[in-house]
Amino acid sequence: MGIEDREKRSQYAEGLVELMGILNPHLKTIEDYKHKLWDHLYQMTDFKLDVDSPYPPPSKEEIMKRPERFGYPRESKKNRHFGKNLTSLIDKALQEKDPEKQQGFTQIIGYYMKLAYANWHREPVHDDMIKSELAELTNGVLVYEGSSYKVRIDNRSHKQNRNNRGRNNNNNNRNRNNSNNGNRNRNKFKYKK
């Protein structure tokens, strides 16, 4: 902007864009990264740069505009912890006309609910609870009969970390050795008659 000759100013701007590309090599993975670098150069000069660029200069409003708000789904579900998969399974089961297939869907849904419950609560779940929750979700249309499948709960992540056991033993040995060294040193300087 301080250079009077437009051609020379354009050459320096091209050099700056090249330097920006060298200093930020990760930008080369972006499609049309040179255009983005020219936009940055205009932005750094507060859109006052007057050069011959290969791309049209952006407007300040175009660069600084806020993106549109992304609407978040506001569904009020009582049992969100089961997720959307459960609601889609229940919908498919309710649409099923064959009673035998519908009962199969119901058993699968009950098993899925057991897995989800055990995953979140880390404790066993009883079939009666699953039966009552499923009946409540479907207004009594789907009836879970219980199953012989047991959901195993993995509590390993909640157990005490056993990796420190060796470190504690080393500290204990070090303390024991230090106390023994103290006894040895006392014997060295003992007054002899």
Side-chain angles (χ1 to χ4, degrees):
M1 291 181 358
I3 302 172
E4 297 297 326
D5 185 21
R6 183 181 174 87
E7 190 175 313
K8 199 171 192 179
R9 198 170 47 232
S10 297
Q11 287 177 348
Y12 277 111
E14 286 178 21
L16 278 174
V17 168
E18 291 297 321
L19 182 64
M20 289 164 62
I22 291 169
L23 292 175
N24 299 299
H26 65 279
L27 290 177
K28 292 184 180 179
T29 59
I30 298 172
E31 183 180 329
D32 205 15
Y33 77 98
K34 289 264 190 186
H35 191 209
K36 189 173 195 78
L37 291 176
W38 276 100
D39 287 350
H40 284 306
L41 185 62
Y42 278 109
Q43 207 170 354
M44 286 188 286
T45 61
D46 201 25
F47 303 97
K48 295 176 185 171
L49 185 64
D50 183 30
V51 293
D52 299 325
S53 74
Y55 304 100
S59 67
K60 191 171 188 174
E61 294 79 28
E62 181 183 320
I63 296 287
M64 299 296 186
K65 74 176 180 182
R66 294 183 80 183
E68 294 178 23
R69 286 187 67 98
F70 186 70
Y72 191 77
R74 297 197 183 272
E75 298 173 13
S76 59
K77 291 181 185 170
K78 185 177 177 184
N79 296 315
R80 279 191 194 168
H81 58 281
F82 288 127
K84 286 189 175 184
N85 290 337
L86 182 74
T87 55
S88 64
L89 282 174
I90 288 174
D91 291 342
K92 284 186 179 184
L94 292 173
Q95 292 172 359
E96 184 60 47
K97 302 293 183 206
D98 185 18
E100 196 171 301
K101 283 185 178 180
Q102 191 178 45
Q103 190 56 37
F105 267 127
T106 305
Q107 294 305 108
I108 290 170
I109 290 169
Y111 183 69
Y112 177 79
M113 288 172 74
K114 276 185 174 183
L115 285 174
Y117 186 89
N119 188 29
W120 281 98
H121 299 289
R122 298 280 183 205
E123 60 186 35
V125 59
H126 299 286
D127 287 338
D128 296 335
M129 192 180 99
I130 297 295
K131 188 183 293 187
S132 67
E133 279 199 43
L134 186 59
E136 183 182 324
L137 286 172
T138 61
N139 297 326
V141 176
L142 299 179
V143 179
Y144 180 65
E145 295 177 353
S147 67
S148 59
Y149 294 113
K150 300 292 180 197
V151 176
R152 193 172 137 235
I153 303 164
D154 186 10
N155 287 330
R156 283 184 286 180
S157 62
H158 295 289
K159 288 185 181 177
Q160 183 181 4
N161 189 355
R162 300 181 77 124
N163 292 336
N164 290 335
R165 188 174 51 186
R167 188 177 314 143
N168 290 338
N169 285 341
N170 287 340
N171 288 339
N172 290 338
N173 290 338
R174 188 177 304 127
N175 292 339
R176 198 173 308 126
N177 289 339
N178 287 342
S179 64
N180 289 339
N181 288 339
N183 290 338
R184 275 189 227 134
N185 289 339
R186 275 189 224 135
N187 292 337
K188 281 183 185 177
F189 299 108
K190 197 172 187 181
Y191 176 73
K192 293 183 184 180
K193 293 184 182 180

